[in-house]
């Protein structure tokens, strides 16, 4: 991946952070709801990613790594 | 009115307090063993069934997980998985002329694989400081022809009154590869991976998380069972490069919609590697609580990749001259669309039930900027999960 692409990605992330509205701890009731979690069902996500990674070329790169082949 | 207003204030304060680490209500059994308090032990079991259309391969997967929270800050987690699969899988492509059908098509030939089983486990320990999480893990996976050992490290650092979280992950994997049909093959593969991420609270009802990952793989990276057809020469085992560098950038935006008490999850993932593969994944999920602790989650996913530099459906002698060649349909250019739903139900605070279904259809024509050349390899599968989580 060219360095320019990575630079664009970092800039986008910094721009998003700059857009954030300060949220006090007592205002985070909604954010604490289970369906607002980044991954509400990690075990189910694991098996989906395992299947996709064994069927598509863009395997791995995120998650905990490991787990062998199991590439049916 | 004053009482109602006070109740709303109390509710807001209570919700905010519950959002803070360590403030979740303790509803389950707690044990005290030698002065070490073990509470809210969580266990989970999941069964999954995978099945491809046209009587191709099918798989059953069983998983279990146990989490032991120790001292309020130290968590231990154990996870095991058993896969069993059998059925036919693509082995080689040949031009139709070889089969006496001079229509210019490519024919994908499947071979029946013998039933296989994989057994894997991993252990993880995590310690939560006030603003920093440290996790160490590792495990192994064993198949008749594939053994893997892996180690993980992950840390997360909360900043800005916990509105920003930075994360770093390091992973190492060492694999030994054999093939039932190639007794003289003993391949070895090493995988190094680093991930950096940021999660940012954007407002009272939205957040975004973005992760960048780099992976370097080296060693035997071919599939030992896949063959290529070289015109006038016949069938040969595929030969992929000995190294692969890949980059992935994944960004997820999550927004709560108060009118429905729903959460919209939007995900985009960009993948690139030095084999020439670029891939895009778009995914959307709508988490909708239904009352009485039921929830339904419809979701849809779109995927597109272009082909690897050394992929061809079959090869001429000139094309195969550089000694890097593969006809594995997973390295072809294609698109795919999938969709399904998850249904969950909570019983009290200690029992959760979850089931999901997903249907996946590969379409060569759905590749972004593609020409549908690999449509001979199109297929479909469905995946169903049933899971139970218990707090003891």
């Amino acid at each position: 991946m060219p360095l320019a692409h990575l630079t664009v990605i970092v800039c986008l992330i910094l721009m998003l952070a700059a857009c954030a509205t300060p949220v006090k701890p007592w205002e985070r009731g909604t954010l604490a709801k289970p369906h607002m979690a980044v991954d509400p069902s990690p075990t189910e996500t694991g098996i989906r990613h395992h299947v996709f990674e064994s069927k598509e070329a863009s395997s791995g790169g995120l998650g905990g790594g490991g787990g062998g082949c199991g590439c049916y | 009115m004053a009482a109602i207003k006070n109740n709303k204030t109390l509710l807001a304060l209570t919700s905010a307090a519950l959002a803070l680490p360590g403030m979740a209500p303790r509803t389950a059994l707690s044990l005290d063993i030698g002065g070490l308090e073990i509470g809210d032990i969580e266990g989970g079991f999941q069964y999954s069934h995978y099945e491809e259309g046209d009587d191709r391969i099918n798989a059953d997967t069983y998983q279990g997980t146990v989490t032991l929270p120790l001292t309020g800050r130290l968590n231990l987690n154990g996870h095991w998985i058993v896969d069993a699969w059998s059925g036919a899988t693509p082995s080689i492509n040949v031009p139709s002329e070889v089969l006496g059908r001079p229509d210019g098509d490519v024919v994908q030939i499947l071979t029946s694989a013998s039933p296989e089983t994989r057994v894997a486990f991993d252990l993880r320990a995590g310690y939560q400081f006030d603003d920093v999480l440290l996790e160490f893990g590792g495990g192994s996976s064993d198949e008749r022809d594939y053994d893997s050992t892996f180690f993980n490290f992950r840390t997360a650092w909360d900043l800005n009154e916990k509105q920003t979280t930075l994360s770093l992950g390091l992973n190492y994997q060492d694999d030994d590869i054999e093939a039932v049909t190639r007794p003289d093959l003993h391949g070895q593969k090493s995988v190094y991976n680093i991930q950096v991420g940021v999660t940012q609270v954007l407002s009272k009802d939205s957040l975004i998380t973005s992760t960048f990952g780099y992976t370097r793989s080296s060693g035997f990276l071919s599939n030992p069972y896949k063959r290529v057809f070289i015109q006038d020469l016949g069938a040969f085992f595929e030969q992929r490069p000995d190294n692969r560098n890949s980059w992935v950038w994944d960004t997820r935006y999550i927004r709560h919609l108060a009118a429905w008490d729903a959460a919209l999850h939007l995900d985009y993932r960009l993948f690139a590697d030095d084999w020439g593969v670029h891939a895009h994944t778009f995914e959307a999920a709508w988490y909708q609580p239904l009352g009485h602790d039921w929830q339904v989650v419809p979701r849809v996913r779109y995927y597109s990749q272009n082909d690897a530099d050394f992929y061809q459906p079959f090869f001429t002698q000139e094309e195969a001259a550089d000694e890097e060649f593969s006809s594995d349909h997973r390295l072809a250019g294609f698109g795919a669309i999938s969709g399904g739903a998850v249904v969950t139900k909570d019983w009290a605070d200690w029992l959760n039930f979850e089931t999901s279904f997903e249907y996946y259809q590969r379409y060569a024509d759905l590749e972004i900027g593609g020409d549908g050349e690999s449509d001979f390899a199109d297929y479909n599968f469905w995946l169903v999960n049933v899971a139970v989580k218990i707090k003891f």
Side-chain angles (χ1 to χ4, degrees):
Chain A
M1 178 176 287
L3 186 61
H5 288 189
L6 181 60
T7 305
V8 169
I9 291 168
V10 172
C11 288
L12 282 172
I13 292 169
L14 292 175
M15 285 168 60
L16 285 167
C19 292
T21 306
V23 181
K24 296 297 181 186
W26 54 87
E27 296 177 318
R28 298 179 195 172
T30 297
L31 296 171
K33 293 189 175 190
H35 56 308
M36 289 295 287
V38 172
D39 185 2
S41 303
T43 309
E44 200 247 353
T45 299
I47 189 71
R48 287 182 78 228
H49 284 183
H50 180 72
V51 169
F52 293 144
E53 287 172 6
S54 71
K55 296 295 164 187
E56 298 167 347
S58 62
S59 59
L62 297 175
C69 187
C71 21
Y72 34 85
Chain B
M1 288 295 289
I4 293 172
K5 185 177 180 182
N6 286 340
N7 283 343
K8 284 184 176 175
T9 304
L10 181 62
L11 181 62
L13 288 171
T14 305
S15 299
L18 289 174
L20 299 174
M23 292 298 288
R26 300 181 67 83
T27 54
L29 279 177
S30 292
L31 305 176
D32 190 331
I33 302 173
L36 194 64
E37 186 184 8
I38 304 174
D40 292 4
I41 302 170
E42 292 185 30
F45 175 79
Q46 177 170 292
Y47 166 74
S48 309
H49 182 75
Y50 167 92
E51 186 151 338
E52 292 182 9
D54 299 326
D55 294 325
R56 287 166 47 144
I57 211 153
N58 66 83
D60 294 298
T61 303
Y62 306 86
Q63 295 184 69
T65 183
V66 176
T67 302
L68 300 176
L70 305 176
T71 71
R73 288 183 181 269
L74 177 63
N75 272 283
L76 300 180
N77 178 272
H79 172 239
W80 58 265
I81 182 168
V82 176
D83 283 332
W85 64 96
S86 62
T89 185
S91 171
I92 191 172
N93 310 315
V94 295
S96 56
E97 290 85 353
V98 173
L99 304 175
R101 285 174 19 206
D103 53 13
D105 287 344
V106 178
V107 179
Q108 185 182 56
I109 297 175
L110 283 68
T111 55
S112 278
S114 54
E116 286 287 344
T117 302
R118 177 176 72 113
V119 179
F121 76 94
D122 62 83
L123 301 171
R124 191 176 71 239
Y127 192 87
Q128 178 70 60
F129 295 91
D130 288 346
D131 296 319
V132 175
L133 171 70
L134 293 178
E135 280 186 350
F136 298 88
S140 79
S141 171
D142 294 317
E143 295 170 49
R144 182 169 52 164
D145 52 6
Y146 200 111
D147 292 337
S148 177
T149 305
F150 49 92
F151 301 95
N152 316 126
F153 167 74
R154 179 177 175 269
T155 183
W157 183 21
D158 293 324
L159 300 167
N160 192 20
E161 294 185 328
K162 296 186 187 293
Q163 291 181 104
T164 306
T165 301
L166 302 178
S167 64
L168 168 70
L170 301 172
N171 304 290
Y172 171 71
Q173 180 178 334
D174 182 76
D175 296 352
D176 294 313
I177 301 132
E178 297 181 346
V180 176
T181 54
R182 301 169 65 181
D184 56 336
L185 174 68
H186 301 284
Q188 197 275 335
K189 178 171 81 174
S190 298
V191 182
Y192 298 87
N193 168 261
I194 182 170
Q195 303 161 29
V196 291
V198 58
T199 300
Q200 176 67 47
V201 171
L202 296 176
S203 69
K204 288 185 286 189
D205 53 15
S206 64
L207 61 99
I208 192 166
T209 182
S210 192
T211 305
F212 179 81
Y214 165 72
T215 303
R216 176 171 177 79
S217 307
S218 56
F220 185 81
L221 305 182
S222 301
N223 184 316
Y225 298 103
K226 301 293 185 188
R227 295 170 185 258
V228 300
F229 181 82
I230 302 176
Q231 287 180 316
D232 302 324
L233 292 177
F236 294 83
F237 287 110
E238 70 165 25
Q239 291 182 190
R240 304 185 187 188
D242 292 334
N243 292 292
R244 186 185 194 187
N245 295 286
S246 63
W247 300 266
V248 61
W249 174 47
D250 188 287
T251 297
R252 175 168 295 188
Y253 173 71
I254 303 170
R255 180 173 182 84
H256 184 259
L257 296 115
W260 299 280
D261 188 27
L264 175 64
H265 291 228
L266 298 174
D267 192 78
Y268 169 70
R269 175 180 162 125
L270 171 66
F271 174 92
D273 69 12
D274 58 2
W275 286 3
V277 177
H278 291 74
H280 305 269
T281 308
F282 303 89
E283 189 162 358
W286 181 277
Y287 287 74
Q288 181 61 64
L290 296 176
H292 300 286
D293 297 318
W294 285 89
Q295 178 178 255
V296 62
V297 187
R299 65 186 173 202
V300 63
R301 177 181 186 270
Y302 168 73
Y303 176 81
S304 174
Q305 73 174 45
N306 67 311
D307 58 353
D309 294 335
F310 51 88
Y311 168 85
Q312 293 278 357
F314 59 87
F315 289 79
T316 62
Q317 292 187 48
E318 292 75 23
E319 289 169 336
D322 63 0
E323 298 184 345
E324 288 178 354
F325 40 78
S326 173
S327 297
D328 188 339
H329 67 290
R330 292 170 292 196
L331 295 176
F334 67 91
I337 188 88
S338 67
V342 186
V343 176
T344 64
K345 163 71 176 170
D346 291 328
W347 276 280
D349 291 330
W350 59 277
L351 181 62
N352 170 271
F353 173 80
E354 178 179 295
T355 185
S356 66
F357 175 84
E358 184 147 5
Y359 178 80
Y360 179 104
Q361 176 67 56
R362 178 196 196 273
Y363 286 115
D365 291 334
L366 284 182
E367 177 195 351
I368 296 172
D371 56 8
E373 183 191 38
S374 73
D375 58 354
F376 63 89
D378 285 348
Y379 70 102
N380 60 71
F381 69 77
W382 55 269
L383 175 69
V384 63
N385 295 288
V386 180
V388 175
K389 284 179 271 187
I390 302 172
K391 283 185 180 177
F392 296 99

